[in-house]
C-alpha cells in the first residue's frame, strides 16, 4: 500500500477552486516530483500535505492514518521552502537544532545529531555563522539539514533550487538525490523545471490546472506523454490531427488528409482511440526536395518558411498541407526560406496522445 | 558630489541643532552644578533628600513604566493582527489605529475627564450595575494619567510594531510549526525576537513620552504632580529656576539610562538583528 494517499481532495481559496478531486499515491522511499506550469497548484498541493491548508473535500492518508485534520506540528514532515525560511536571528546550529529542541532532546544528543547532519550537507564548521553570512547554496543546505535532522517521515521541497544559479542548481540536485537515496526518505519535490524533475525523480506527476494529467517514470513521460498538455509541456511542439487509424502487428497506421503515417505506440499505456499525434522538433527529419513518385508512409512535403540558427542546429518552420511544423536539424549548409523540403516522421518517434 | 560639498549640506542642520539644542542643554546641565559662585552638588542632594520630590519622581517613572507595558500588551496583538492582513485592509486598519493621533491631547484629556469623572460614563455604569455603592475616584489619580497616556501613545506603539511584524515572512512561522513548534512557541521563539527592534523603539518612545508628557498629567492628574508638571510649577509659579534645571537634568539622565538599557537588552536577545 502507498505510504501517502490523497483521495479526491479539493482545495479552494475563497470561492476559487484550486485543486479538484486530486488523487495521488506515493510509495515509501520514493522521490515523486510535481511538475507543471506556474499557477497549476503545485505549491497548494504541497501546502495541503504539509498541513498549512485544509482540504474542503477528500482525505489525506499517511502511513495508514488519517492526516486530513492533523495539525502541522504533529505531522513530523520536513519542509524546505523556496525562500529557505531560515530563522535570521539564529545561528546555523540553532536553526538546525530548532526541531530537536521542540522535541525536547538532551543537549548532548542535539549536538551530535546537528553535527552529523551538517557533515551530510557538507557544512561542518559553519555552526556559528548566521544565515546572512552564508551564500545562497549554503543557505539552501542549511534548510535541507534543518528539515532532515528531525528524521522526518516525509520530506517536502518547494522549488528549492529556483534561487540558485545554473551551475549550483545541477550540483545541488545531485546532492539532494544522493541524500534522499542514502537516507531512504520519501520525498515530494515541486518544480516547474522539467530537466530538474526528470533528473532526480523516481516518478513525475505532471499537473495542469489543479489536475494530475500523468504520473509515470521520467523516461516514460519523456518518451510517451499521455496527453496533449503533457506533450506540449515537455517539448513536443508538433501535433497532427489524424482522421482514422488502423492497427496490425503492433504498428498503428494513421491517415491525415491523403497522407499515411506509422506509429509504434506507447508500450505502457495504450491509447486505443487516440487520433492526435505529437513529435518533437528534434525528431523530425528534414530532407531536401519534394519526393517523386507515390507518397511514402511517414513523409510530408512542405516549404521552408523560417530558418533560424540555434547554435548546434538550425530550426525550420515548414509549411505543409497539414499545417506548420517545427524541426531542428544539425547540418553544415542550411536550407533557405522558400525551399521545397520533405519532412520524415520516424514511427518510433511519433507519439499518440489524448 | 564631492565629500566636502556633502558635509557642507549638513551644516545648516548642525548649526540649528547646536545653537538651539546642544548649547542650552549644556548650559542647563552646567548651571545645576554651580551656585553662589562655587561648584556644588547641593541641588541634587537637596532633591534626593526630599521625600516629596522622591515620591513625584517614583510616581512618574512608575506611571511611565505601566503605560509602556500597557501599550506593549495592547499594541502587540493589534499590530500582529494588522500586519497579517492584505495590503488594502491593512491600510484601513492602520488609519483607524492612528486616528487618535490626529486629535490634540487637550481635547482627548477633556474627553477622558468626561468619561472618568464621578458623574462620568464609567462610574454611571459601575454604580448602575451595582458593582460599587459610590462612584469610584478615577479622575485626578495616577490611574487616570496612565489611561490618558496609554490612549495617547498606543498608536505609536502599534505603528512601530506593524513596521517590524509585516516584514516577518509567514514562511518563518510555518517553518517553525513544521519543525514541531506550537503556535505559541513559534510566536515566542520566532516572531517575538524578530519584532524586538520595533518593540524597543516603540517602548522607548512611549516611555520617554510618558516621562515628559505635560498636558495629560496636568489635566487628568489633579493634585498628583509628575516631574514635568512639577518642573513647570517650580519654574513658572515659584520662580525657582535652579530647582527646575535640576529636575530637567534628572529627566534627561533617566531618558539616556532607559534608552541605553533598552539597546543593551535588544543586543542580548538579538545578536545579529
Ligand atoms: N493565498 C492565495 N489566495 C488566493 N489564491 C491563491 C493563493 N495562493 C495561490 N492562489 C492561486 O492558486 C493557484 C495555484 O497556486 P500555486 O501557488 O499552488 O501554484 P504553483 O503551481 O505553485 O505555481 P508556481 O510554479 O508559480 O509556484 C494560482 O492560480 C494562484 O493564483
Ligand atoms: Mg509554487
Amino acid at each position: 500500500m502507498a505510504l501517502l494517499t490523497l483521495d479526491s481532495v479539493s482545495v479552494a481559496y475563497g470561492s476559487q477552486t484550486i485543486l479538484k478531486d486530486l488523487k495521488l499515491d506515493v510509495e515509501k522511499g520514493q522521490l515523486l516530483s510535481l511538475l507543471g506550469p506556474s499557477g497549476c497548484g503545485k505549491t497548494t498541493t504541497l501546502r495541503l500535505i504539509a498541513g498549512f491548508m485544509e482540504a474542503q473535500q477528500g482525505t489525506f492518508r499517511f502511513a495508514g492514518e488519517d492526516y486530513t485534520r492533523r495539525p502541522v506540528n504533529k505531522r513530523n514532515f520536513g519542509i524546505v521552502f523556496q525562500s529557505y525560511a531560515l530563522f535570521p536571528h539564529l545561528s546555523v546550529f540553532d536553526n538546525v537544532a530548532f526541531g530537536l529542541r521542540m522535541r525536547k532532546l538532551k543537549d548532548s544528543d542535539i549536538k551530535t545529531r546537528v553535527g552529523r547532519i551538517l557533515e551530510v550537507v557538507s557544512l561542518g564548521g559553519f555552526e556559528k555563522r548566521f544565515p546572512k553570512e552564508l551564500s545562497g547554496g549554503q543557505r539552501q543546505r542549511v534548510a535541507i539539514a534543518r528539515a532532515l535532522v528531525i528524521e522526518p517521515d516525509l520530506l517536502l521541497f518547494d522549488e528549492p533550487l529556483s534561487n540558485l544559479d545554473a551551475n549550483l542548481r545541477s550540483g545541488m540536485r545531485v546532492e539532494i538525490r544522493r541524500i534522499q537515496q542514502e537516507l531512504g526518505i520519501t520525498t515530494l519535490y515541486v518544480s516547474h523545471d522539467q530537466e530538474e524533475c526528470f533528473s532526480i525523480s523516481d516518478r513525475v506527476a505532471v499537473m495542469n490546472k489543479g489536475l494530475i494529467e500523468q504520473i509515470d517514470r521520467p523516461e516514460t513521460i519523456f518518451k510517451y506523454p499521455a496527453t496533449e498538455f503533457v506533450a506540449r509541456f515537455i517539448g513536443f511542439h508538433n501535433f497532427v490531427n489524424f482522421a482514422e487509424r488502423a492497427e496490425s502487428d503492433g504498428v498503428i497506421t494513421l491517415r491525415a488528409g491523403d497522407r499515411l503515417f506509422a506509429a509504434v505506440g506507447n508500450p505502457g499505456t495504450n491509447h486505443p482511440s487516440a487520433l492526435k499525434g505529437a513529435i518533437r522538433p528534434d525528431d523530425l527529419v528534414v530532407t531536401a526536395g519534394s519526393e517523386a513518385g507515390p507518397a511514402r508512409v511517414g513523409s510530408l512535403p512542405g516549404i521552408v518558411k523560417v530558418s533560424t540558427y540555434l547554435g548546434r542546429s538550425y530550426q525550420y518552420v515548414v509549411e505543409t498541407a497539414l499545417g506548420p511544423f517545427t524541426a531542428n536539424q544539425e547540418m553544415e549548409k542550411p536550407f533557405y526560406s522558400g525551399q521545397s523540403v520533405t519532412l520524415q516522421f520516424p514511427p518510433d518517434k511519433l507519439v499518440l496522445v489524448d | 558630489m564631492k565629500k566636502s560639498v556633502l558635509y557642507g549640506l549638513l551644516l545648516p542642520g548642525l548649526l540649528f541643532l547646536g545653537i538651539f539644542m546642544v548649547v542650552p542643554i549644556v548650559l542647563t546641565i552646567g548651571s545645576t552644578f554651580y551656585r553662589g559662585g562655587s561648584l556644588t552638588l547641593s541641588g541634587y542632594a537637596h532633591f534626593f533628600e526630599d521625600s516629596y520630590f522622591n515620591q513625584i519622581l517614583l510616581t512618574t517613572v512608575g506611571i511611565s513604566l505601566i503605560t509602556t507595558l500597557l501599550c506593549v500588551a495592547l499594541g502587540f496583538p493589534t499590530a500582529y493582527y494588522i500586519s497579517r492582513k492584505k495590503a488594502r485592509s491593512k491600510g484601513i486598519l492602520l488609519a483607524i489605529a492612528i486616528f487618535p493621533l490626529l486629535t490634540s491631547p487637550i481635547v482627548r484629556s477633556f474627553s477622558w475627564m468626561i468619561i472618568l469623572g464621578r458623574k462620568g460614563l464609567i462610574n454611571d455604569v459601575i454604580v448602575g450595575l451595582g458593582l460599587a455603592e459610590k462612584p469610584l475616584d478615577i479622575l485626578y489619580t495616577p490611574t487616570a494619567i496612565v489611561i490618558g497616556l496609554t490612549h495617547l501613545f498606543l498608536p505609536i506603539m502599534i505603528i512601530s510594531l506593524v513596521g517590524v511584524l509585516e516584514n516577518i515572512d509567514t514562511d518563518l512561522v510555518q517553518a517553525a510549526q513544521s519543525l514541531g513548534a506550537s503556535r505559541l512557541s513559534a510566536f515566542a521563539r520566532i516572531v517575538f525576537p524578530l519584532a524586538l527592534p520595533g518593540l524597543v523603539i516603540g517602548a522607548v518612545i512611549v516611555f520617554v513620552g510618558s516621562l515628559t508628557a505635560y498636558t495629560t498629567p496636568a489635566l487628568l492628574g489633579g493634585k498628583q504632580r509628575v516631574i514635568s508638571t512639577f518642573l513647570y510649577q517650580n519654574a513658572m509659579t515659584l520662580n525657582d529656576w535652579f530647582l527646575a534645571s535640576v529636575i530637567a537634568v534628572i529627566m534627561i539622565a533617566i531618558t539616556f539610562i532607559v534608552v541605553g538599557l533598552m539597546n543593551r537588552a535588544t543586543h542580548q536577545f538579538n545578536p545579529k538583528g
Side-chain angles (χ1 to χ4, degrees), chain A residues 13-178:
Chain A
Y13 283 114
S15 61
Q16 191 195 2
T17 308
I18 308 296
L19 304 178
K20 298 172 282 261
D21 215 18
L22 186 81
K23 297 185 180 69
L24 183 67
D25 283 329
V26 186
E27 302 294 330
K28 196 169 167 53
Q30 272 198 343
L31 192 155
L32 176 110
S33 52
L34 295 176
L35 174 65
S38 189
C40 70
K42 306 180 295 291
T43 299
T44 307
T45 310
L46 209 70
R47 289 168 53 79
L48 172 86
I49 291 170
F52 299 132
M53 300 192 62
E54 250 186 39
Q56 268 82 15
Q57 274 167 38
T59 50
F60 164 37
R61 304 179 61 76
F62 189 83
E65 283 179 60
D66 187 354
Y67 267 52
T68 319
R69 307 246 177 278
R70 183 182 282 239
V72 185
N73 55 335
K74 300 273 187 310
R75 291 192 184 201
N76 198 38
F77 293 169
I79 301 166
V80 179
F81 292 81
Q82 184 168 0
S83 61
Y84 309 148
L86 297 181
F87 307 132
H89 59 302
L90 299 181
S91 66
V92 167
F93 182 92
D94 290 330
N95 262 282
V96 177
F98 191 92
L100 300 177
R101 299 224 163 97
M102 289 297 119
R103 285 163 178 71
K104 306 250 181 330
L105 262 65
K106 278 202 309 241
D107 274 353
S108 54
D109 292 348
I110 292 179
K111 229 176 148 178
T112 28
R113 277 174 68 172
V114 172
R116 201 171 345 124
I117 208 73
L118 284 178
E119 290 302 328
V120 172
V121 297
S122 324
L123 276 181
F126 282 73
E127 287 86 348
K128 290 208 170 60
R129 298 266 196 110
F130 282 82
K132 254 186 230 153
E133 305 164 335
L134 299 174
S135 74
Q138 290 165 340
R139 280 180 209 173
Q140 156 85 78
R141 280 180 281 161
V142 175
I144 296 177
R146 186 178 68 178
L148 282 175
V149 79
I150 59 172
E151 294 176 357
D153 298 323
L154 180 70
L155 199 51
L156 302 169
F157 286 97
D158 191 359
E159 312 217 12
L161 306 182
S162 58
N163 290 330
L164 304 179
D165 67 47
N167 276 334
L168 209 52
R169 247 204 315 258
S170 53
M172 278 308 299
R173 74 182 183 222
V174 175
E175 193 81 336
I176 288 178
R177 182 60 163 161
R178 176 182 68 78

Side-chain angles (χ1 to χ4, degrees), chain B residues 123-147:
Chain B
N123 272 321
D124 277 355
V125 171
I126 289 177
V127 175
L129 290 176
L131 295 175
E133 304 219 323
K134 285 188 296 176
L136 304 175
D137 284 318
I138 308 174
L139 190 60
Y140 307 133
T141 65
T143 310
I145 302 179
V146 167
I147 292 174

